[in-house]
């Protein structure tokens, strides 16, 4: 049964309690580590201390999140909260894609991994026509040429390049 305060709440309910609990937990964890991650320097002004402003910021996070939790009219996790949490977790999938890309580039090479990942991500996002696959592959080649050729970004050669003959290896390290 809902309380009067819960009935009068006009904002969206889904996910608020989970967000507040997660944010409060992370804020308390950060505040507990402030002593090991920052220092208090002798003979330095109070407001110039390296620990002062991080402590103010993280302390404010803890205080205001705790106040938000205290004033929250509902304190039960419901099915809509869990559905909202699943929507938040869905965004983590792209973090895993990125981490896989970062791990594979030093092993296989910038061009081959980019040529595989860009069409795979396009496929994952729903662009599945042959035309879109060709556009995504062309975009991958453009990105590699732009970063390596125009911007001259130096990306280390891949471990796979060590197995190539000498002339091919230097070409692959410079241009692929």
């Amino acid at each position: 049964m809902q309380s009067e305060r819960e009935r009068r709440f006009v904002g969206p309910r889904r996910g608020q309690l989970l967000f507040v609990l997660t944010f409060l937990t992370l804020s308390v964890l950060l505040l507990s580590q402030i002593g090991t991650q920052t220092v208090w320097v002798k003979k330095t002004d109070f407001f110039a201390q390296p620990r002062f402003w991080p402590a103010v910021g993280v302390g404010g996070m803890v205080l205001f999140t705790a106040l938000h939790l205290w004033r929250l009219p509902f304190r039960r996790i419901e099915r809509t909260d869990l559905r909202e949490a699943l929507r938040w977790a869905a965004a983590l999938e792209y973090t895993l894609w990125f981490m896989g890309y970062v791990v594979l580039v030093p092993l296989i090479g910038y061009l081959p991994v980019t040529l595989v990942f860009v069409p795979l991500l396009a496929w994952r996002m729903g662009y599945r026509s042959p035309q879109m696959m060709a556009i995504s592959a062309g975009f991958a080649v453009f990105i590699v040429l732009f970063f390596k050729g125009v911007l001259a970004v130096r990306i280390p050669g891949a471990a796979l390049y060590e197995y190539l003959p000498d002339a091919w290896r230097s070409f692959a390290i410079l241009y692929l």
Side-chain angles (χ1 to χ4, degrees), residues 87-108:
R87 292 183 87 187
W88 297 341
L92 297 176
E93 173 195 355
Y94 293 98
T95 306
L96 295 174
W97 280 92
F98 178 72
M99 293 311 297
Y101 181 80
V102 167
V103 167
L104 289 176
V105 164
L107 299 175
I108 301 172

Side-chain angles (χ1 to χ4, degrees), residues 36-74:
T36 59
Q37 299 298 316
T38 59
V39 294
W40 197 267
V41 180
K42 294 179 181 179
K43 298 182 182 179
T44 304
D45 292 337
F46 183 69
F47 294 111
Q49 290 292 334
R51 185 177 292 167
F52 178 74
W53 290 111
V56 167
V58 176
M61 287 168 52
V62 170
L63 173 70
F64 293 119
T65 306
L67 286 173
H68 184 81
L69 179 62
W70 178 53
R71 296 296 297 163
L72 208 57
F74 40 87

